[in-house]
């Protein structure tokens, strides 16, 4: 009986771990609904100075590709934001995962076109949600200043 209870406990522990996004897999982190919800909540708590740095990062990193024209400004905006505000939050995990995925996206040879299209659609949805959350936070900050 003790062995069965131990096996069930280990099994449920493995399931719980599997349900959490892996800290080592940027794709799992970036496309996790839970991470996105928590990141949006992080944005909803930002003070104005951090929000401005975050929107600068979003603006500089509009593209999911790392061509020569946007690689340096995006990296600079990300580094600046991380130095000033990194705090081991879901948003920070999402930013790091995005950066890693952008670097990996340079190699598209041999990838299924439908998978690439699906990933691009998910990517756009996530970025749009981050931008909308930043917009809403600016509006709430402005409303509280009146």
């Amino acid at each position: 009986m003790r062995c069965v209870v131990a096996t069930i406990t280990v099994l449920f522990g493995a399931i719980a771990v599997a349900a959490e996004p892996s800290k080592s897999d940027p794709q799992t982190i970036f496309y996790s609904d839970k991470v996105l919800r928590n990141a949006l909540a992080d944005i909803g708590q930002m003070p104005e100075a951090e929000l401005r740095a975050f929107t600068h990062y979003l603006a500089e990193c509009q593209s999911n590709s790392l061509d020569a024209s946007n690689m340096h400004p995006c990296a600079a905006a990300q580094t600046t934001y991380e130095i000033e505000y990194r705090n081991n939050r879901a948003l920070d995990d999402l930013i790091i995962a995005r950066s890693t995925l952008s670097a990996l996206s340079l190699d598209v040879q041999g990838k299924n076109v439908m998978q690439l299209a699906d990933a691009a659609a998910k990517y756009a949805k996530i970025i749009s949600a981050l931008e909308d959350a930043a917009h809403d936070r600016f509006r709430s900050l402005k409303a509280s200043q009146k």
Side-chain angles (χ1 to χ4, degrees), residues 100-118:
T100 304
L101 288 177
S102 292
L104 294 175
S105 73
L106 292 173
D107 178 27
V108 295
Q109 289 182 325
K111 292 185 180 173
N112 181 313
V113 174
M114 292 307 293
Q115 287 175 324
L116 291 172
D118 184 48

Side-chain angles (χ1 to χ4, degrees), residues 89-107:
R89 302 167 294 182
L91 181 61
D92 303 308
D93 292 341
L94 201 61
I95 288 171
I96 292 167
R98 179 186 186 187
S99 173
T100 304
L101 288 177
S102 292
L104 294 175
S105 73
L106 292 173
D107 178 27

Side-chain angles (χ1 to χ4, degrees), residues 21 23 28-47 50-51 54 57-58 81 87-98 125-137:
K23 286 282 192 182
T28 301
I29 292 168
F30 192 78
Y31 295 122
S32 165
D33 290 337
K34 181 179 180 182
V35 172
L36 179 59
R37 276 192 309 275
N38 290 340
L40 297 175
D42 293 339
I43 294 168
Q45 301 299 313
M46 283 182 179
E50 180 179 3
L51 188 59
F54 178 68
Y57 156 76
L58 285 175
Y81 179 78
N87 196 18
N88 200 27
R89 302 167 294 182
L91 181 61
D92 303 308
D93 292 341
L94 201 61
I95 288 171
I96 292 167
R98 179 186 186 187
K125 179 182 171 189
I126 291 166
I127 299 306
S128 179
L130 295 174
E131 290 171 351
D132 289 347
H135 172 78
D136 291 346
R137 181 62 179 153

Side-chain angles (χ1 to χ4, degrees), residues 5 14 22 27 48 69 74 102 110 123 128 130-132 145-146:
V5 171
S22 168
Q27 187 167 345
E48 187 173 353
S69 66
C74 176
S102 292
Y123 182 90
S128 179
L130 295 174
E131 290 171 351
D132 289 347
Q145 292 173 353
K146 291 182 179 180

